[in-house]
Amino acid sequence: MEVKLAIEDYLICCGFKIDSTPGFLESRCFFGQLDREGIDPINVIILIYDWTLSTYPVIFLQKGERYYNSRNAHINYDRSLCYMTPGDAIVLNSLYPESAIELCLVSASKLIARLDSNDPSLLDEYRDEFHAYWLNDTSLIYSYDNLSCSYYQLYFGPRKKRSLWLVPIGYNAEHPLLKNILHAGFSNAVGHAFVIAVDQDWPKNTTVPLPENLQEFLEWVRLNSPNKLQEFVELTANPIFWISKIPAVIVKTPSHALVATFMAGADSKEPLKLPWNELHAWGGYRLYQPKNPLLKIPIKRCYVEDASKKSIHSRNGNPSLSDQKVLVIGGGAIGSFLADALAMVGAGSFGGSITILDKEELETGNLTRHTLGMRDLNSSKAESIKEKINREMPHVVVNSIAGDAQEHLHFDFDLIIDATGFEAFSRWLNKRHIKHLRGGGSTPVIYAWLEGEGMAWRSLLVDNTAGHACRECLYIHSEDGARELRFPHSDEPINYRNVGCKTIIPYAATAAMQAASLACEVAVDWYQGIDAPRFRGGQRSGRYYDSFVDHDLEQQEDCPSCSLT
């Protein structure tokens, strides 16, 4: 309440008047003028509905003011100003509300000043953001292949929200996109789309109104991409263009993919009174005849969002492990989170693959520390993890082996990660791996495991036998065969639990996530040529543990696995 009163008093002092009409959820409108930064005063409306100032106040141009009917960068379709530059990450401080509101007014005035001075960079910014200004429809259309084809069918996505996917003609019905994303069957396309590629971003200028019908769209193509006008005109004379009754044209510019959907169907406000098999006869160069009925077909404008694997992984910088064949041994707590993480960083995306090897089936006791859920109970962990990744990221190549690792292990992979967390198996794998390396092999192995009741997590990269530690080097061995950890996280006893004939160690899912994250980090570093430190770890905070520092661990001279003496 104090913030609200302070803002109201400040804006009144600045000459604004408060709308006395009660606002929704305590929102308030203020009417007044922007006159900062030396600009000519301009009438605006300020809408504030978030008095914590975690959301910027909305500043609208008043009707009739300059730029109200213009198309310029940072002026939205509702005539609100996008006055805070994206990327500046400016946080308004509600502890000083007067200063926060003044910052908003100054920022809005700077935008108006740029418009008044005809700042030439605004046209480039308008083109960069043009897909947002182009919209008059909320439909979402996704491209799986970055529009590499010229003709697509449209299918509904799996959610109730209006989302559509572009599918090229000739896609195999077994393709992961069709099996795992699309709601309708492969034969139930709801529309067609044709791609016209242009070599320059739209628009060339901002003076022409956005097209509302086919005739105006013709003019837009003529003004912005005249060399593509003939291609579009000839397209309208093709019977295939009108086969879906609601055809779409995708204009693929260097920066955007703009969609114009021609609403000639029965759900249009003014449906055409022509037989569908005759529409193409009115297309082509007959479009230039007066009173052609096709010219008044309204259009809906939206854009295509790039959901290709290149675009998806671009936020990771460059995809990692994308061309590598990675074997994950163990589809349990660590392995399931690790498989997800590997897919997210790019493994299996560009020529590589992820292979999950595990013989077990999912049990109820696994549910609270696993990525799989109840739908996968009594199913193979390896196969279910594969299916889950295919559902969520169908471009990732995932293989599964539902079998015993000791029977199926081979080293024909670029990288192997032991995520079993079972000491006995890890020691067996270590012995086989050392033999592989000494025989001239080069496949590295990353070991990932938890210590105690998930109190610490460790990883070890073993990629050679030239003085670096193997998995067995982590123990101190005595002559009677006994061993103990060289780097214990603590001396706390482990509270084992017996479930039937099984002995389990309780630990939280967060510990498995940490171990998986660490192993994925080591894998990405290895892919980028960073192999040190080979021995890494972390531990829970808030309790006392023996200190641990990531380091390269030297080979033990008396190691029974890798020592040559």
Side-chain angles (χ1 to χ4, degrees):
M1 181 61 72
E2 292 180 359
V3 172
K4 181 179 178 182
L5 292 175
I7 291 175
E8 289 179 347
D9 290 344
Y10 179 75
L11 287 174
I12 289 173
C13 291
C14 293
F16 283 82
K17 295 182 179 180
I18 302 177
D19 183 358
S20 59
T21 304
F24 177 67
L25 293 180
E26 296 300 317
S27 64
R28 286 289 184 271
C29 285
F30 301 84
F31 296 81
Q33 290 185 333
L34 281 179
D35 56 3
R36 288 155 178 74
E37 294 294 315
I39 66 169
D40 291 333
I42 187 168
N43 292 315
V44 297
I45 303 170
I46 301 177
L47 170 64
I48 303 178
Y49 58 89
D50 178 6
W51 299 101
T52 68
L53 298 182
S54 57
T55 303
Y56 297 140
V58 185
I59 301 179
F60 299 90
L61 296 175
Q62 287 195 36
K63 189 173 183 179
E65 279 296 336
R66 62 187 189 275
Y67 311 120
Y68 183 86
N69 291 315
S70 66
R71 273 155 291 281
N72 282 292
H74 314 304
I75 299 180
N76 299 315
Y77 70 94
D78 60 357
R79 319 326 294 164
S80 63
L81 302 179
C82 183
Y83 57 89
M84 290 294 189
T85 304
D88 285 353
I90 296 175
V91 178
L92 300 180
N93 189 348
S94 60
L95 297 177
Y96 301 92
E98 297 91 345
S99 298
I101 295 301
E102 177 65 15
L103 175 61
C104 296
L105 298 179
V106 169
S107 297
S109 298
K110 287 180 178 179
L111 172 59
I112 298 299
R114 291 182 65 197
L115 293 168
D116 287 343
S117 64
N118 293 316
D119 185 342
S121 65
L122 283 171
L123 180 56
D124 290 333
E125 292 173 14
Y126 183 66
R127 287 172 178 159
D128 289 342
E129 304 170 354
F130 185 63
H131 66 287
Y133 303 111
W134 176 257
L135 297 178
N136 70 353
D137 182 52
T138 58
S139 297
L140 299 173
I141 301 179
Y142 297 98
S143 167
Y144 184 77
D145 62 351
N146 195 24
L147 298 176
S148 60
C149 300
S150 59
Y151 177 47
Y152 291 88
Q153 291 179 310
L154 285 164
Y155 291 83
F156 280 122
R159 302 298 182 188
K160 292 181 179 180
K161 193 173 182 180
R162 295 183 62 186
S163 63
L164 296 162
W165 282 83
L166 294 164
V167 179
I169 300 298
Y171 253 38
N172 187 333
E174 291 299 311
H175 191 282
L177 173 68
L178 300 175
K179 290 179 63 177
N180 299 305
I181 291 182
L182 303 184
H183 180 68
F186 186 59
S187 61
N188 296 331
V190 296
H192 295 71
F194 301 81
V195 179
I196 296 178
V198 302
D199 55 8
Q200 182 178 353
D201 278 326
W202 281 16
K204 285 186 176 180
N205 60 64
T206 61
T207 59
V208 182
L210 294 174
E212 300 293 342
N213 54 43
L214 192 151
Q215 184 175 20
E216 293 176 2
F217 184 76
L218 269 175
E219 181 66 5
W220 256 81
V221 177
R222 186 187 70 81
L223 292 174
N224 293 284
S225 302
N227 59 328
K228 295 294 181 178
L229 181 60
Q230 181 178 352
E231 181 178 343
F232 172 68
V233 169
E234 293 177 350
L235 186 60
T236 62
N238 189 333
I240 297 178
F241 183 77
W242 302 100
I243 195 171
S244 67
K245 303 180 182 179
I246 307 178
V249 169
I250 301 171
V251 180
K252 183 181 180 183
T253 74
S255 301
H256 306 296
L258 310 173
V259 182
T261 303
F262 300 92
M263 307 302 295
D267 57 345
S268 175
K269 291 182 179 179
E270 298 180 9
L272 289 177
K273 298 178 181 179
L274 291 172
W276 295 110
N277 58 359
E278 295 181 10
L279 290 181
H280 68 282
W282 289 90
Y285 291 98
R286 291 189 68 183
L287 290 176
Y288 295 102
Q289 295 181 356
K291 299 183 179 180
N292 185 314
L294 300 186
L295 294 177
K296 299 303 180 182
I297 294 177
I299 66 173
K300 288 187 176 181
R301 303 187 304 269
C302 59
Y303 66 90
V304 176
E305 192 154 349
D306 186 4
S308 65
K309 56 188 178 182
K310 182 178 180 181
S311 175
I312 289 172
H313 290 290
S314 63
R315 289 202 175 187
N316 289 333
N318 293 318
S320 294
L321 304 163
S322 56
D323 57 348
Q324 304 291 294
K325 294 192 298 180
V326 182
L327 172 65
V328 177
I329 306 176
I334 298 175
S336 64
F337 288 111
L338 175 59
D340 273 3
L342 290 171
M344 289 178 186
V345 300
S349 295
F350 296 89
S353 63
I354 303 172
T355 300
I356 315 296
L357 173 54
D358 196 301
K359 67 178 181 180
E360 294 184 349
E361 296 179 344
L362 190 72
E363 301 176 355
T364 54
N366 303 133
L367 292 177
T368 57
R369 54 190 194 189
H370 207 282
T371 61
L372 299 176
M374 286 189 176
R375 62 176 287 171
D376 300 303
L377 284 173
N378 202 34
S379 299
S380 164
K381 290 180 179 179
E383 293 178 358
S384 296
I385 291 172
K386 172 189 173 181
E387 292 172 0
K388 176 180 180 293
I389 295 176
N390 281 155
R391 284 194 305 271
E392 297 171 353
M393 287 182 283
H395 61 277
V396 176
V397 178
V398 188
N399 306 309
S400 62
I401 302 175
D404 189 282
Q406 293 185 349
E407 296 178 5
H408 293 274
L409 176 71
H410 60 82
F411 291 93
D412 295 333
F413 292 91
D414 297 302
L415 175 66
I416 295 175
I417 306 178
D418 173 17
T420 62
F422 294 135
E423 179 184 342
F425 173 80
S426 298
R427 298 179 70 200
W428 175 87
L429 173 60
N430 180 74
K431 189 173 182 179
R432 290 283 305 274
H433 185 223
I434 295 300
K435 182 179 180 181
H436 163 75
L437 294 175
R438 286 181 175 166
S442 60
T443 302
V445 172
I446 297 173
Y447 298 89
W449 69 96
L450 297 174
E451 294 192 354
E453 298 176 37
M455 302 303 179
W457 40 92
R458 302 282 186 259
S459 72
L460 177 69
L461 169 64
V462 180
D463 57 348
N464 64 71
T465 57
H468 295 294
C470 73
R471 181 71 170 82
E472 201 69 45
C473 290
L474 300 181
Y475 299 97
I476 299 173
H477 300 271
S478 59
E479 294 181 356
D480 61 0
R483 68 187 187 284
E484 60 184 43
L485 285 171
R486 292 173 64 188
F487 306 97
H489 76 283
S490 75
D491 56 2
E492 293 181 359
I494 299 175
N495 297 313
Y496 294 100
R497 292 183 184 177
N498 297 318
V499 181
C501 295
K502 292 183 179 180
T503 300
I504 64 172
I505 300 175
Y507 59 85
T510 51
M513 294 177 188
Q514 296 277 14
S517 177
L518 178 61
C520 187
E521 175 188 292
V522 174
V524 170
D525 282 353
W526 166 82
Y527 181 72
Q528 296 175 348
I530 305 170
D531 51 19
R534 288 174 170 80
F535 188 30
R536 308 185 191 186
Q539 56 199 31
R540 288 182 58 184
S541 60
R543 300 177 66 176
Y544 173 77
Y545 302 109
D546 294 341
S547 61
F548 178 87
V549 178
D550 296 349
H551 61 287
D552 266 348
L553 186 62
E554 294 183 357
Q555 183 184 55
Q556 280 202 90
E557 293 184 0
D558 58 348
C559 174
S561 289
C562 65
S563 176
L564 296 177
T565 59

